[in-house]
Amino acid sequence: MKRIAVFASGFGSNLQALLEYEKNNKLSGKIVLVFSNNIDAYALRRAEKSSIKTICFSPSDFTSRNAFDKAIIEMLENEQIDLVVLAGYMLLAGKALVSKYKNRMINIHPALLPAFKGTHGIRDAYNYGVKVTGVTVHFIDEGLDSGPVIIQEPVTVNQHDTIEMLEEKIHTAEHRLYPLAVKYFCQDRLKIVGRKVIIEGI
Ligand code: GRF
């Protein structure tokens, strides 16, 4: 059974979707740790409610960003983590972490990458006036939102949608997609060939 760490800085609705999927025995992996850089993250409360181990520290607790990254890697090694799932984690993963967890760290982005990278994927797509946006789950590489794409799902923007309505549609799609991607990883069904990710058996 793959051991999973979820990194979250905020509300943690994606974490919740993963926890529920796991509870229904569908994840094929075990969430053993929730890490946050933000002590007020509601994601931490969700983890505690599910009796999952939580760890919280932030770059400001260390003398350098390198020292922070080293502590993260040490934590993941102590917990024998196979997969790092970024779910609303607001810090960029440091170089050492990215290389240590190459092809074993994934992220969810609320737009159809490579469009609308960065922190405000939903708002940027909405303000641009696109008719279709969506959700992307991808591996992490050295760049910003640039690693190989695992799955994507389009979400239609209707002309009378408010940003809140779009946000809701995006989050609903996220909560369906992320558990699926994690399951594929845990079942060893993801093969990376260059920039492409092959999902075996679909
Ligand atoms: C999600 O929209 C995700 O795509 C983005 O950050 C948001 C996190 O939401 N990376 P939550 O904390 O999981 O509710």
Side-chain angles (χ1 to χ4, degrees), residues 4 16 18 37 41 51 53 66 89 111 125 137 167:
I4 301 166
Q16 194 65 48
L18 290 164
N37 61 310
S51 306
K53 178 168 182 176
N66 273 352
Y89 182 61
V137 180
E167 273 166 359

Side-chain angles (χ1 to χ4, degrees), residues 82-83 98-99 101-107 137-142 146-151 181 184-185 188-200:
D82 300 302
L83 172 67
V98 172
S99 99
Y101 274 80
K102 192 170 192 299
N103 301 344
R104 296 189 297 149
M105 179 156 47
I106 65 177
N107 182 43
V137 180
H138 63 95
F139 282 104
I140 292 288
D141 68 4
E142 300 71 25
S146 61
V149 170
I150 301 169
I151 10 184
Y184 292 151
F185 180 93
D188 285 324
R189 287 166 64 188
L190 301 181
K191 300 287 171 261
I192 305 178
V193 184
R195 268 212 61 86
K196 293 195 179 146
V197 179
I198 311 294
I199 306 172
E200 292 182 338

Side-chain angles (χ1 to χ4, degrees), residues 2 4 14 17-18 21 26-29 83-86 103-109 135-139 148-153 173-191 197-200 202:
K2 300 264 194 268
I4 301 166
N14 280 285
L18 290 164
Y21 207 69
K26 295 201 271 193
L27 199 60
S28 307
L83 172 67
V84 178
V85 174
L86 307 182
N103 301 344
R104 296 189 297 149
M105 179 156 47
I106 65 177
N107 182 43
I108 189 157
H109 184 74
V135 172
T136 305
V137 180
H138 63 95
F139 282 104
V149 170
I150 301 169
I151 10 184
Q152 290 187 304
E153 187 173 300
E174 286 187 330
H175 300 159
R176 186 171 51 246
L177 228 58
Y178 217 4
L180 207 59
V182 171
K183 178 176 86 176
Y184 292 151
F185 180 93
C186 290
Q187 294 177 336
D188 285 324
R189 287 166 64 188
L190 301 181
K191 300 287 171 261
V197 179
I198 311 294
I199 306 172
E200 292 182 338
I202 61 163

Side-chain angles (χ1 to χ4, degrees), residues 66-183:
N66 273 352
F68 171 75
D69 290 342
K70 235 177 110 187
I72 297 254
I73 291 172
E74 212 173 283
M75 169 187 81
L76 295 174
E77 284 178 342
N78 285 342
E79 299 293 334
Q80 296 175 295
I81 297 300
D82 300 302
L83 172 67
V84 178
V85 174
L86 307 182
Y89 182 61
M90 298 312 283
L91 298 178
L92 272 182
K95 264 198 177 145
L97 176 62
V98 172
S99 99
K100 187 97 202 164
Y101 274 80
K102 192 170 192 299
N103 301 344
R104 296 189 297 149
M105 179 156 47
I106 65 177
N107 182 43
I108 189 157
H109 184 74
L112 289 178
L113 291 173
F116 306 112
K117 294 180 178 187
T119 320
H120 302 293
I122 304 178
R123 194 185 69 194
D124 293 346
Y126 184 82
N127 289 340
Y128 193 90
V130 295
K131 308 281 183 186
V132 178
T133 179
V135 172
T136 305
V137 180
H138 63 95
F139 282 104
I140 292 288
D141 68 4
E142 300 71 25
L144 171 69
D145 298 328
S146 61
V149 170
I150 301 169
I151 10 184
Q152 290 187 304
E153 187 173 300
V155 171
T156 303
V157 189
N158 296 323
Q159 52 188 347
H160 300 299
D161 279 355
T162 61
I163 180 124
E164 290 78 19
M165 286 154 80
L166 179 60
E167 273 166 359
E168 199 179 320
K169 287 197 272 187
I170 294 274
H171 292 314
T172 303
E174 286 187 330
H175 300 159
R176 186 171 51 246
L177 228 58
Y178 217 4
L180 207 59
V182 171
K183 178 176 86 176

